[in-house]
Amino acid sequence: MKKVIVVGGGAAGMMAAAAAAEQGAKTVLYEKNEKLGKKLFITGKGRCNLTNACDMEELFQNVVTNAKFLYSAFYGFDNRAVMDWFEKAGCPVKIERGGRVFPVSDHSSDVIAALAGQLKKREVDVWLKTEVKGLVVKEGCVKGVRLANGLEEYGDAVILTTGGLSYPSTGSDGAGYRMAAERGHTVKETSPSLVPFHIQETWCKALQGLSLKNVKVYLGLKGKKPFYEGFGEMLFTHFGVSGPLILSASSYYGKKCKGEKAVLRLDLKPALTPQQLDKRLLRDFEENKNKQFKNSLGELFPSKLIPVMVDLSGIDGEKKIHEITKEERLQFAHLIKNMEMTVTGTRDYAEAVITRGGIHVKEVNPSTMESKRIKGLYFAGEILDVDALTGGFNLQIAWSTGYQAGVFAAGKEQKQ
């Protein structure tokens, strides 16, 4: 019987251990925290968006970095298989807006309980509060792991699923990157991803707490074509902007800007063309022609946004609507469709949903998740240089790569 050692009890680690044990391997899981799935517990605001029910093409489109690398993993254990796996493990799921899949109970703890239940059923030996410090490698083959207490534990295969650097409060400290790098693996530069933006403009602070739905954003370098555009929901904060739309934009910011300033352009009325918006303004202005400009915008914007829009328009708020010139009206319409902000950077790992960067995928066999440098060493989940947008796609990566690594580490023969 093969012995498989899994390092890290997060999403990818628990799935890898369950898959290896199902294949008949004696499986040991080491987790340095006092419980399994600490990061999983807080995902999706505690509801755990565990995958997305979209078709395969859309699944790949939502992967930002190294989508091709995931071809075998995604087809080997796809989103339907994931939903089926959790249903059979006693965690019924439901599909919500945008294909997002959640446990019916809306409790991430049920996802963790389903995984833990499968580990118990398959007799996985789980060691909590047990930290792994390094890999035992001899003649290009992994032989086991070195624990924090100095003891060495031996096995036929080791799966590293230690995650990245995001949410350090859950124990993510980049230990897996260090262990792999010590043994000759390349770690691609890491940065926080799916993370809020810092905004330079001070008016942003005045909008703190304001949430906008059905808006469109464009992100790009000044004077260049936008490299990201998206539609959805965003939130103003004391430091800048956040919300699902902004988190998705941040995936591209890390890739394209390398810390440079970028321009975030906001279209507050994406359903209207500039011509339709001008007609709407003409109608609103006609109805409010004797009112002051600042008192006539209640139908267009939430009350918190009105003083900022008046200020940015350059039109005197005391001015009567019938005194506003055509040029001023057209400039105001342009502002509504092109509200510009300057992104100066992102928040740090403490607020990042995931980590960009990680183990270079060119050094990993995409069909098995085995290292091309060290025989018997496997990788899965966030430790790899793969990342995706919000909506359950990053957890799908964890399940698919974890399952793949577990199956092949346990000794399944790769088809030639």
Side-chain angles (χ1 to χ4, degrees):
M1 187 189 283
K2 249 191 163 187
K3 182 178 172 185
V4 174
I5 296 170
V6 181
V7 186
M14 287 189 278
M15 183 57 81
E22 192 183 24
Q23 293 289 318
K26 176 177 166 49
T27 308
V28 184
L29 172 62
Y30 291 110
E31 169 53 59
K32 69 177 179 185
N33 285 319
E34 73 289 354
K35 58 186 175 187
L36 296 169
K38 238 180 160 179
K39 187 178 171 187
L40 204 49
F41 185 70
I42 59 171
T43 59
K45 297 188 177 78
R47 292 178 66 217
C48 192
N49 178 191
L50 54 92
T51 185
N52 196 292
C54 63
D55 61 28
M56 287 304 275
E57 191 183 345
E58 202 178 321
L59 201 60
F60 283 107
Q61 281 167 359
N62 277 276
V63 178
V64 177
T65 310
N66 295 319
K68 280 183 183 163
F69 172 78
L70 293 165
Y71 194 86
S72 281
F74 274 0
Y75 276 102
F77 192 59
D78 66 13
N79 47 2
R80 301 286 156 188
V82 167
M83 289 156 73
D84 192 41
W85 193 96
F86 278 100
E87 292 265 352
K88 284 178 179 161
C91 177
V93 301
K94 60 180 174 178
I95 301 168
E96 293 189 4
R97 184 176 54 85
R100 289 167 162 81
V101 178
F102 292 92
V104 167
S105 66
D106 281 332
H107 294 307
S108 57
S109 51
D110 288 350
V111 175
I112 299 164
L115 286 155
Q118 291 302 301
L119 298 181
K120 193 174 180 184
K121 183 183 167 188
R122 294 166 191 187
E123 298 179 349
V124 174
D125 195 3
V126 177
W127 290 77
L128 299 174
K129 298 184 195 167
T130 309
E131 191 174 355
V132 172
K133 283 291 193 187
L135 300 169
V136 180
V137 179
K138 284 177 186 157
E139 294 166 2
C141 280
V142 78
K143 297 295 178 188
V145 295
R146 191 178 71 257
L147 304 178
N149 62 10
L151 292 176
E152 290 185 352
E153 284 292 326
Y154 300 106
D156 301 293
V158 173
I159 309 176
L160 274 186
T161 59
T162 49
L165 291 157
S166 53
Y167 294 147
S169 60
T170 62
S172 304
D173 61 2
Y177 300 145
R178 289 193 294 277
M179 286 186 239
E182 280 168 9
R183 296 299 179 176
H185 265 285
T186 308
V187 178
K188 297 285 270 187
E189 188 185 354
T190 59
S191 62
S193 195
L194 297 185
V195 63
F197 283 144
H198 281 287
I199 297 293
Q200 185 172 292
E201 285 73 15
T202 51
W203 53 258
C204 239
K205 207 168 186 174
L207 297 175
Q208 181 179 345
L210 175 66
S211 176
L212 297 177
K213 288 181 177 171
N214 304 322
V215 292
K216 197 162 187 182
V217 302
Y218 301 86
L219 183 68
L221 293 166
K222 198 163 184 65
K224 301 245 177 93
K225 201 175 158 210
F227 50 74
Y228 172 80
E229 62 177 78
F231 175 84
E233 196 176 331
M234 63 173 285
L235 172 75
F236 288 95
T237 67
H238 65 285
F239 55 78
V241 287
S242 186
L245 192 50
I246 300 302
L247 298 189
S248 288
S250 75
S251 292
Y252 294 88
Y253 175 82
K255 210 171 184 176
K256 302 276 187 182
C257 296
K258 304 273 192 288
E260 271 183 80
K261 285 184 180 179
V263 176
L264 185 71
R265 192 157 52 81
L266 182 55
D267 182 349
L268 294 165
K269 301 287 174 190
L272 302 176
T273 64
Q275 292 78 13
Q276 288 169 329
L277 178 59
D278 189 42
K279 273 186 189 166
R280 163 86 192 264
L281 286 178
L282 275 168
R283 195 176 71 237
D284 283 11
F285 282 11
E286 183 57 36
E287 285 170 13
N288 297 288
K289 59 185 173 191
N290 293 317
K291 280 188 180 175
Q292 291 176 316
F293 178 53
K294 66 179 184 184
N295 296 328
S296 67
L297 303 172
E299 292 291 311
L300 271 174
F301 312 116
S303 56
K304 206 169 193 175
L305 186 56
I306 292 170
V308 171
M309 292 304 286
V310 170
D311 198 38
L312 293 176
S313 74
I315 301 168
D316 182 354
E318 308 288 324
K319 199 172 189 175
K320 289 278 200 306
I321 287 288
H322 67 259
E323 293 171 351
I324 290 175
T325 65
K326 181 184 176 183
E327 192 185 357
E328 284 175 323
R329 189 188 74 241
L330 291 172
Q331 275 184 314
F332 186 53
H334 181 78
L335 169 67
I336 294 167
K337 301 283 288 176
N338 298 274
M339 193 180 182
E340 281 198 2
M341 291 167 260
T342 310
V343 178
T344 57
T346 67
R347 299 292 275 176
D348 63 17
Y349 288 112
E351 291 174 52
V353 177
I354 55 158
T355 307
R356 234 191 106 249
I359 304 296
H360 197 345
V361 296
K362 284 207 163 71
E363 299 171 0
V364 180
N365 182 337
S367 301
T368 62
M369 298 296 134
E370 186 177 15
S371 163
K372 289 178 180 176
R373 292 181 175 272
I374 299 161
K375 200 163 167 43
L377 176 64
Y378 295 77
F379 300 101
E382 202 179 333
I383 191 171
L384 290 160
D385 180 23
V386 284
D387 61 273
L389 301 180
T390 58
F393 303 104
N394 288 289
L395 272 178
Q396 180 62 46
I397 291 172
W399 310 131
S400 292
T401 57
Y403 186 84
Q404 187 105 332
V407 164
F408 284 98
K412 181 178 172 182
E413 293 300 316
Q414 190 191 350
K415 288 178 188 154
Q416 294 302 316

